[in-house]
Amino acid sequence: EVQLVESGGGLVQPGRSLRLSCTASGFTFGDHAMSWVRQAPGKGLEWLTFIRSKAYGGTTEYAASVKGRFTISRDDSKSIAYLQMNSLKTEDTAVYYCTRSQHTLSSWGRGTLVTVSS
Amino acid sequence: DVLMTQSPLSLPVTLGQPASISCRSSQSLVHSDGNTYLNWFHQRPGQSPRRLIYKVSNRDSGVPDKFSASGSGTDFTLEISRVEADDVGVYYCMQGTHWPYTFGQGTKLEIK
């Protein structure tokens, strides 16, 4: 069974950094692209970024709202995807979901809440 | 960015009755690889989204056949043949063809 478990969320002040982790199991992690999607309180879904598998160059793409501030990475030896979030803003407050795949988001974690507030 | 427009945004349905959600994109969702990456997700209250349909009309494993989807180009539809209590929540369409990938606003299905 595919499982994705996010961790690393919490309360952080504006301008500070946070790193989220997504620990995967139940599939060959290195064969799949991984993505992060967020959902602000009471709002819809926003796709943030993905990282391709090493077979496809491990390249990344970012939404304009986070480009230059957020960085996605992966450690295939540990089956973990990361989201490094810098220069956080109050509008980054959301539940952050880790998802498998690039185009179709086949599986989702339960999410981790990030609250940016002073 | 590709704009995904869902309608209706609110969908009250009587138990046992059918429901239909429309999703329109601002440009064609046919990818250069020939696939059309239009997906549907269901999010129950307090839960993470779950994919129901991928690439227009392919049902995910475990999704009952009362869910069906169709469409092409820029117009897509999700249909539920007989709504049950477990179907409440928000349904989102999402395009994975043009970066940045985008979601529709969501359609909230409730029991009338």
Side-chain angles (χ1 to χ4, degrees):
Chain A
E1 179 193 0
V2 173
Q3 285 201 329
L4 301 171
V5 179
E6 302 92 340
S7 59
L11 175 63
V12 61
Q13 292 179 326
R16 303 298 290 265
S17 299
L18 207 58
R19 187 177 80 159
L20 306 183
S21 299
C22 169
T23 303
S25 60
F27 64 100
T28 304
F29 181 80
D31 289 348
H32 294 266
M34 298 297 294
S35 304
W36 287 91
V37 174
R38 72 182 176 186
Q39 185 171 36
K43 302 296 185 182
L45 300 167
E46 179 187 14
W47 201 332
L48 300 179
T49 177
F50 69 76
I51 183 167
R52 294 179 176 90
S53 66
K54 292 288 195 296
Y56 289 87
T59 51
T60 59
E61 295 286 351
Y62 297 91
S65 59
V66 303
K67 192 169 187 178
R69 299 188 301 123
F70 290 12
T71 302
I72 189 172
S73 61
R74 63 189 300 154
D75 185 336
D76 291 350
S77 68
K78 295 180 180 179
S79 297
I80 299 177
Y82 299 99
L83 184 65
Q84 177 67 43
M85 305 186 295
N86 299 331
S87 304
L88 282 161
K89 306 174 182 180
T90 54
E91 53 263 42
D92 294 320
T93 294
V95 174
Y96 286 72
Y97 295 104
C98 169
T99 71
R100 187 179 73 162
S101 94
Q102 172 186 337
H103 298 285
T104 58
L105 305 187
S106 57
S107 302
W108 295 60
R110 294 192 174 190
T112 186
L113 175 63
V114 172
T115 303
V116 184
S117 174
S118 53
Chain B
D1 298 2
V2 176
L3 182 63
M4 304 297 290
T5 304
Q6 289 183 228
S7 63
L9 298 184
S10 178
L11 185 55
V13 184
T14 301
L15 286 173
Q17 293 300 302
S20 179
I21 301 171
S22 169
C23 176
R24 291 200 165 115
S25 58
S26 59
Q27 58 183 278
S28 172
L29 298 186
V30 179
H31 193 273
S32 57
D33 66 8
N35 290 303
T36 299
Y37 294 106
L38 186 286
N39 312 298
W40 289 95
F41 300 87
H42 177 213
Q43 186 175 32
R44 295 189 177 98
Q47 295 187 14
S48 56
R50 171 201 180 196
R51 194 180 71 181
L52 297 175
I53 303 285
Y54 61 97
K55 291 194 288 185
V56 181
S57 60
N58 297 277
R59 255 192 324 272
D60 269 279
S61 173
V63 175
D65 59 9
K66 66 177 184 176
F67 289 93
S68 63
S70 61
S72 64
T74 61
D75 285 347
F76 304 91
T77 303
L78 174 70
E79 294 182 326
I80 309 172
S81 59
R82 296 172 311 279
V83 169
E84 300 173 33
D86 202 36
D87 299 330
V88 300
V90 182
Y91 291 80
Y92 295 94
C93 63
M94 169 241 148
Q95 67 85 15
T97 296
H98 304 286
W99 184 254
Y101 303 150
T102 45
F103 291 87
Q105 320 97 300
T107 294
K108 186 172 185 179
L109 187 150
E110 60 180 24
I111 304 301
K112 203 185 289 184

